Amino acid sequence: MRITCIGGGPAGLYFAVLAKLADPAHEITVLERNPAGVTYGWGVVFWDDLLDDLFRYDPVSAERISRAACRWDEYEVRATGKAVTHLAGYGFSLGRRDLLDILAARAVELGVEIRYRDELTELTEAGAADLVVACDGARSRVRDQHAEHFGAEIEVGRNKYIWLGTSHVFDTFTFGFEQTPAGWIWYHAYPFTADTSTFIVECAPETWAGLGLDSLDAKQGCARLQEIFAAHLGGQPLVDHRAEVGGTGWLNYRRLTNQRWDHGNVVLMGDAAHTTHFAIGSGTKLAMQDAMALADAVSGDDDLAVALERYEHRRKTALAPLQRAAKASSEWFERVPDYVDLPAKQFSYALSNRRGEYPTWRYLLHVATQSAGPRTLLRWALSTRRWHRARRRPGLAAASTAVSRPREPARLTAS
Ligand SMILES: Cc1cc2nc3c(=O)[nH]c(=O)nc-3n(C[C@H](O)[C@H](O)[C@H](O)COP(=O)(O)OP(=O)(O)OC[C@H]3O[C@@H](n4cnc5c(N)ncnc54)[C@H](O)[C@@H]3O)c2cc1C
């Protein structure tokens, strides 16, 4: 089969890898408008569920991803005038560029052709492919060319947000809320290399305008945010990639859904098909899980139309609960002023329970684990569970620090 993927993000590259593994005779081309090694964005987070899937589908790239990722244990919550509190849990983070480099290298090893600096403007440029995969991101040009058929719907979120990076290395995943004369502004930050953290800033539009962020360029805006978050950044700067190309990276979140995902031999995948709010950190995972489902669907004996239908059904079913959770999560952040006067422990619990699904015992556990002893014990228990889960994955070499047996719960492990 001749397959053209429009877009070399996580979805396009991972699908190319899996389709080639399923049938080395496939001729697969990935068109990517950016030069090799160039991308927007900083680090992304993911959890054990994605690692389990990655090891099941391609242990080779999974192991490289696992080794390149950082691991963080627990979440820290900081807010002006409140004591620091902690939320149980752990996860992994990886630079978007590192992820794309790993996937691109794996795709090329398997015989996929990646054409960088090749921006598709008209669908006809996709050539005579049997299957055209539109994985060109949330603002997909391919989707826009058949907008009516796909039935795209976009809901625009109220808050403003910006995706920044900093050389301050956070100990762990941190939420920080600062009170300013113009209202509350906060960040979601996590380390993803030994010297860089992702720093996503969010606030209500009134706060954004009240702080003058609507009229500052990228450099001035970063300087303003550095002042506001000075107590959190250890003197390190904030960086907006947009400073290099003009404008700023401030956006409103756009929740995208499509009524249909395929049109003839064209199929949507990843952010081109759906988006979920960054507050649940799942966009990359869902894009890669789409790739798994599409690779499964087209590697069977079914007619292409039936295969694409099966893929769409499987993914829409899997996505529904996460989309609800993401919506609840983004709406919580639009109501921060309703919660922020709560005492520290209640506030961080409200943040962790923003999808509204926890039973009462979770609150009791949360309060109990704010003191050092129970908190250490819980971290140790989670780290043991993580170690056992990692051991069950196929193809993972014993040397990988991602599965090293927990002794003391680690703050951050580059794995
Ligand atoms: C602030 C923020 C934080 C996020 N944090 C996380 C996180 O922590 N964890 C997580 O999992 N996800 C996160 N995400 C989401 C994640 O970045 C996306 O969901 C994910 O990258 C989707 O992958 P994709 O391959 O579908 O699309 P993309 O990653 O957008 O890739 C699309 C590719 O297509 C290329 N392209 C576009 N148009 C064309 C064209 N016409 N011709 C050729 N190439 C083209 C682009 O250059 C790009 O490389 C975050 C997103 C935001 C905005």
Side-chain angles (χ1 to χ4, degrees):
M1 191 191 273
R2 270 176 300 175
I3 301 174
T4 302
C5 298
I6 318 294
L13 291 172
Y14 197 53
F15 172 73
V17 166
L18 298 185
K20 199 72 180 164
L21 280 172
D23 186 347
H26 287 327
E27 288 171 36
I28 306 178
T29 308
V30 177
L31 308 184
E32 169 53 50
R33 66 182 171 192
N34 287 334
V38 172
T39 181
Y40 72 90
W42 299 89
V44 295
V45 284
F46 56 93
W47 287 267
D48 266 333
D49 58 339
L50 179 65
L51 280 178
D52 287 346
D53 284 346
L54 294 176
F55 274 96
R56 215 169 27 248
Y57 276 82
D58 176 29
V60 175
S61 55
E63 178 147 9
R64 293 173 192 170
I65 289 169
S66 167
R67 282 175 185 277
C70 283
R71 192 191 83 221
W72 37 266
D73 293 303
E74 78 183 4
Y75 303 79
E76 204 161 275
V77 183
R78 301 175 166 268
T80 312
K82 296 188 203 296
V84 175
T85 52
H86 299 92
L87 303 171
Y90 65 87
F92 306 91
S93 45
L94 180 61
R96 178 176 161 95
R97 182 177 300 174
D98 292 336
L99 174 65
L100 295 185
D101 285 351
I102 290 169
L103 296 178
R106 179 71 174 137
V108 169
E109 261 168 41
L110 293 168
V112 172
E113 184 189 359
I114 305 178
R115 287 199 217 141
Y116 290 101
R117 298 177 188 271
D118 197 337
E119 177 162 9
L120 178 127
T121 46
E122 286 297 326
L123 247 179
T124 47
E125 295 164 26
D130 301 301
L131 174 64
V132 177
V133 186
C135 37
D136 48 345
R139 293 177 187 267
S140 167
R141 187 173 276 176
V142 178
R143 186 192 62 227
D144 286 353
Q145 286 182 18
H146 296 285
E148 245 176 63
H149 172 84
F150 289 119
E153 279 168 29
I154 292 172
E155 228 176 88
V156 181
R158 190 166 187 280
N159 284 352
K160 306 297 288 186
Y161 77 91
I162 189 166
W163 201 358
L164 303 173
T166 175
S167 41
H168 176 67
V169 182
F170 283 83
D171 281 343
T172 192
F173 196 121
T174 307
F175 291 104
F177 296 78
E178 274 293 328
Q179 190 169 25
T180 74
W184 286 85
I185 183 165
W186 56 93
Y187 65 82
H188 318 221
Y190 44 88
F192 67 92
T193 67
D195 56 13
T196 323
S197 301
T198 297
F199 195 87
I200 303 166
V201 181
E202 190 183 359
C203 62
E206 301 78 24
T207 308
W208 182 66
L211 292 171
L213 293 164
D214 57 343
S215 56
L216 300 178
D217 69 19
K219 266 200 177 154
Q220 295 164 332
C222 280
R224 185 86 184 86
L225 292 172
Q226 271 162 232
E227 283 165 24
I228 294 169
F229 293 115
H232 305 254
L233 288 168
Q236 296 297 316
L238 290 172
V239 181
D240 181 353
H241 278 322
R242 300 286 307 185
E244 296 147 26
V245 288
T248 78
W250 282 103
L251 294 168
N252 286 71
Y253 171 69
R254 289 155 56 93
R255 180 174 181 270
L256 165 85
T257 51
N258 280 281
Q259 279 164 22
R260 276 167 292 284
W261 287 15
D262 64 294
H263 185 34
N265 67 339
V266 179
V267 65
L268 304 178
M269 181 173 68
D271 273 12
H274 52 80
T275 56
T276 48
H277 192 263
F278 55 86
I280 66 160
S282 290
T284 305
K285 168 180 105 166
L286 298 176
M288 294 178 85
Q289 288 174 335
D290 283 359
M292 295 169 196
L294 184 59
D296 283 346
V298 301
S299 65
D301 294 330
D302 287 332
D303 175 72
L304 185 64
V306 175
L308 298 185
E309 202 57 44
R310 189 142 39 82
Y311 151 73
E312 179 179 332
H313 179 72
R314 173 173 159 190
R315 290 308 291 151
K316 279 188 171 168
T317 309
L319 279 163
L322 267 160
Q323 285 173 324
R324 280 195 297 277
K327 195 165 189 301
S329 187
S330 62
E331 286 168 356
W332 190 92
F333 281 104
E334 289 177 0
R335 294 193 309 271
V336 162
D338 295 351
Y339 301 98
V340 81
D341 289 331
L342 290 170
K345 287 177 202 168
Q346 279 104 312
F347 174 63
S348 55
Y349 183 73
L351 169 64
S352 75
N353 190 29
R354 58 190 182 277
R355 305 176 202 174
E357 57 200 15
Y358 287 170
T360 317
W361 63 262
R362 291 289 292 254
Y363 177 67
L364 302 175
L365 183 70
H366 171 69
V367 172
T369 51
Q370 295 311 308
S371 38
R375 191 174 137 219
T376 305
L377 208 61
L378 182 60
R379 281 175 57 165
W380 187 85
L382 288 175
S383 130
T384 303
R385 193 176 73 180
R386 179 183 62 239
W387 183 80
H388 282 291
R389 190 163 174 171
R391 295 283 297 174
R392 288 201 298 271
R393 292 182 186 128
L396 188 61
S400 170
T401 49
V403 291
S404 58
R405 189 180 244 300
R407 281 161 281 131
E408 286 292 294
R411 294 295 289 170
L412 167 71
T413 309
S415 48

